[in-house]
Amino acid sequence: MHDRIRHAGMHDRLMSAEQAAALIKPGMTVAMSGFTGAGYPKAVPQALAARMEAAAATGDQFRIKVLTGASTAPELDGALAKANGMELRLPYQSDPALRERINNGEIDYVDMHLSHVAQHTWSGFFGNIDLAVIEVAGILEDGRLIPSSSVGNNKTWLEQADHIILEVNAFQPAGLEGMHDIYYGTALPPHRKPIPLTAPDERIGEPYLHVDPAKLLAVVTTDAPDRNSPFSAPDEASRQIAGHLLDFFDHEIKRGRLTKTLLPLQSGVGNIANAVLAALSEGGYEGLTAYTEVIQDGMLNLIRNGVIKMASATSFSLSAAGVKEFNENVDFYRTRILLRTQEISNHPELIRRLGVIAMNGMIEADIYGNVNSTHIAGSKVMNGIGGSGDFARNGSLSVFMSPSTAKNGSISGVVPMVSHVDHTEHDTMIIVTDQGLADLRGLAPKQRAQLIIDRCAHPDYAPMLQDYYDRARRESYGKHTPHLLTEALSWHDRLVETGNMRTQPDLQAVSATR
């Protein structure tokens, strides 16, 4: 590891993961690296979870507050959740064990816009950061750090934490050095200055992170891969969604509102996003750019094929095949990818300036265009809002995508009223399902409602939505945004009670047509 730990003094702080984990005490607030399963510490959290389990076996409780960039992996979120070792978690998660404890009320979870985390930390809303555990790819002779496969909030954690533990991961390719752009020019109001970035390929910072050697308690060496995120081949619904969106892009180009190089792309994580990216390649696009949070397989393919010439992000989220491709060709990708802190990758000022096209998934939309991207039936959280709000509110186009049904047709992707609002109708411009695309720009509420029912609802649910909307227009208290308040969430009530949003007559009618 001497080629990875080049600072002579750092060798004096080498210790095992177990020794480093012993430095973490119950009740601490611990910030950890990691964003969408990349660049998270692998060894110290598992050793910490073992300590927590040992404490529980003797009747003691060992719990900490955990802050990260976004989701991590089973070695961190999963291990600590299973050990009942977290009392609070923020700002985004996707681990099944952690999600279960959150929804059981055993862990407090702060779901928030990713662009807000750094400012809230600096402002003290999360209290004192006792310790940070950060994965890096290496340490330079002068003590600067080579960031790993994600940057996330690491700059803030290193600045704000009282003490630091570093994990130096030899599995991460040495060729990551030079791929990062860490900007140290942010400040709190009223001392802010404009961020000098006008294109996704511009560098405004430096390739390394800084750490105060006086705060460094331990250096732990690891050699372990990030969480591999397998993506299945696009299904028929995903291909249809991608087709509708590309038809829309072609229409906007013909109208002169977009050029053939579109605008910088932001794409959420998942199979639908990968299907859209694949369709861009098949559609003959080239010379595109991306200003996004995450580089996943679909975007890596577009970079390799020349469809995307430059991508700015804060993290990777790759399958095993994607990791292999990246590691074997890291020198090629280093000149075409920039990894930034998430306070820059998700910064509203920059998203608005660049005119980003924001493409994100959703759980459901209602007939007026309000979007729920986080909760099932209003109270069970899935993952979190992540960066979708940062991009939807500030992008030049905000697109939300979902299949028109889920769970074998028992759930509709379009409902009378969403059970939880993450993105209001004012932030939603385009809704796309496998049934079609609704362009909501310039439309009043009742116009939006009819268009969403006509274009986006599944045929099994469209008559139910039309019936609700027609009655609401006649009977609602107000006529601007007609709703039947005693009925608006009845679809979700049925889902909770019966496992299906349709009534029994609806189910019989659907069955009779098949």
Side-chain angles (χ1 to χ4, degrees):
M1 291 291 287
H2 281 274
D3 60 329
R4 294 298 184 109
I5 306 174
R6 305 175 208 165
H7 186 283
M10 298 295 185
H11 291 275
D12 296 336
R13 302 182 202 187
L14 283 169
M15 62 180 68
S16 69
E18 290 72 21
Q19 290 171 315
L23 301 171
I24 302 174
K25 307 301 181 186
M28 277 187 169
T29 297
V30 181
M32 300 201 189
S33 61
F35 196 107
T36 57
Y40 57 92
K42 317 294 195 282
V44 173
Q46 292 185 85
L48 178 61
R51 287 186 63 212
M52 292 168 168
E53 290 169 352
T58 63
D60 293 329
Q61 190 173 60
F62 188 153
R63 305 184 83 197
I64 61 173
K65 300 180 180 71
V66 178
L67 289 59
T68 65
S71 58
T72 62
E75 301 99 315
L76 197 167
D77 276 335
L80 296 183
K82 289 175 182 176
N84 194 24
M86 281 189 273
E87 59 180 278
L88 178 138
R89 177 71 169 82
L90 65 89
Y92 183 87
Q93 55 77 37
S94 63
D95 184 84
L98 175 56
R99 182 187 303 122
E100 181 178 11
R101 286 200 179 272
I102 291 169
N103 284 319
N104 287 341
E106 299 165 6
I107 297 174
D108 288 330
Y109 175 49
V110 181
D111 182 25
M112 59 186 296
H113 297 302
L114 298 186
S115 67
H116 290 177
V117 179
Q119 176 174 318
H120 283 204
T121 302
W122 277 96
S123 298
F125 295 123
F126 310 132
N128 187 64
I129 311 297
D130 298 296
L131 192 145
V133 186
I134 308 295
E135 179 182 279
V136 296
I139 304 173
L140 300 181
E141 292 84 351
D142 60 7
R144 287 178 298 166
L145 309 176
I146 302 170
S148 185
S149 52
S150 71
V151 181
N153 284 315
N154 294 352
K155 168 185 167 290
T156 298
W157 303 153
L158 290 166
E159 290 172 327
Q160 286 289 289
D162 293 339
H163 300 289
I164 310 292
I165 296 172
L166 297 179
E167 282 197 12
V168 182
N169 188 354
F171 184 89
Q172 301 290 7
L176 278 172
E177 184 174 359
M179 184 176 284
H180 306 85
D181 186 55
I182 313 300
Y183 180 63
Y184 279 91
T186 54
L188 291 177
H191 306 294
R192 281 187 174 148
K193 304 252 190 271
I195 297 171
L197 190 145
T198 59
D201 60 351
E202 291 180 347
R203 285 184 172 273
I204 58 174
E206 58 183 277
Y208 305 107
L209 289 162
H210 299 170
V211 61
D212 180 355
K215 298 199 297 185
L216 185 59
L217 298 181
V219 177
V220 176
T221 61
T222 63
D223 190 354
D226 285 330
R227 180 192 75 198
N228 294 326
S229 304
F231 294 107
S232 58
D235 59 15
E236 184 58 27
S238 297
R239 285 193 292 269
Q240 289 173 336
I241 290 170
H244 296 318
L245 190 54
L246 262 67
D247 287 344
F248 169 74
F249 287 158
D250 289 342
H251 174 266
E252 292 297 286
I253 290 169
K254 289 175 184 175
R255 292 294 300 270
R257 290 192 284 253
L258 289 175
T259 70
K260 290 185 178 181
T261 55
L262 303 178
L263 285 163
L265 302 174
Q266 178 264 335
S267 175
V269 176
N271 290 322
I272 293 177
N274 267 325
V276 171
L277 295 173
L280 286 170
S281 180
E282 297 164 3
Y285 288 92
E286 58 184 17
L288 306 183
T289 60
Y291 194 83
T292 188
E293 299 168 297
V294 176
I295 306 291
Q296 55 182 354
D297 284 30
M299 194 165 288
L300 204 66
N301 293 337
L302 295 187
I303 296 169
R304 183 179 63 244
N305 297 335
V307 177
I308 288 180
K309 65 179 183 179
M310 190 69 196
S312 169
T314 193
S315 180
F316 291 98
S317 182
L318 301 174
S319 68
V323 171
K324 185 174 184 293
E325 160 66 23
F326 176 78
N327 288 355
E328 290 178 353
N329 299 285
V330 65
D331 291 339
F332 170 83
Y333 290 111
R334 189 172 54 250
T335 61
R336 294 164 176 83
I337 294 173
L338 280 174
L339 296 183
R340 310 180 192 272
T341 62
Q342 74 187 61
E343 64 179 321
I344 296 298
S345 69
N346 290 54
H347 201 291
E349 174 190 351
L350 303 176
I351 295 167
R352 179 66 61 90
R353 179 184 299 149
L354 298 174
V356 172
I357 297 175
M359 301 179 290
N360 290 285
M362 64 181 182
I363 290 174
E364 62 186 5
D366 67 25
I367 57 176
Y368 296 109
N370 300 291
V371 168
N372 169 18
S373 61
T374 60
H375 284 71
I376 303 297
S379 58
K380 290 188 70 172
V381 72
M382 283 296 292
N383 298 335
I385 193 170
S388 58
D390 298 324
F391 286 91
R393 171 63 62 89
N394 300 290
S396 63
L397 279 173
S398 61
V399 180
F400 286 99
M401 309 173 288
S402 172
S404 57
T405 63
K407 299 294 184 183
N408 297 317
S410 62
I411 299 176
S412 176
V414 181
V415 293
M417 178 184 284
V418 289
S419 59
H420 177 91
V421 181
D422 292 293
H423 314 281
T424 73
E425 60 188 286
H426 312 294
D427 299 330
T428 306
M429 301 180 194
I430 312 293
I431 290 178
V432 196
T433 71
D434 49 295
Q435 301 302 314
L437 181 147
D439 183 352
L440 307 177
R441 295 174 296 177
L443 301 183
K446 291 190 287 293
Q447 295 171 312
R448 295 162 72 97
Q450 194 61 62
L451 189 65
I452 290 171
I453 293 170
D454 291 343
R455 298 280 180 87
C456 299
H458 190 278
D460 290 352
Y461 286 97
M464 297 169 59
L465 289 166
Q466 191 67 56
D467 174 67
Y468 171 86
Y469 177 55
D470 290 343
R471 288 185 293 110
R473 290 176 66 186
R474 294 193 303 268
E475 304 168 17
S476 68
Y477 173 73
K479 307 303 182 187
H480 174 63
T481 307
H483 265 307
L484 302 174
L485 294 182
T486 59
E487 190 180 327
L489 295 176
S490 62
W491 291 31
H492 300 89
D493 282 339
R494 280 197 298 274
L495 176 65
V496 172
E497 293 295 323
T498 70
N500 203 305
M501 283 188 170
R502 291 174 290 211
T503 63
Q504 194 60 34
D506 295 322
L507 288 169
Q508 292 170 349
V510 170
S511 178
T513 62
R514 292 180 175 174

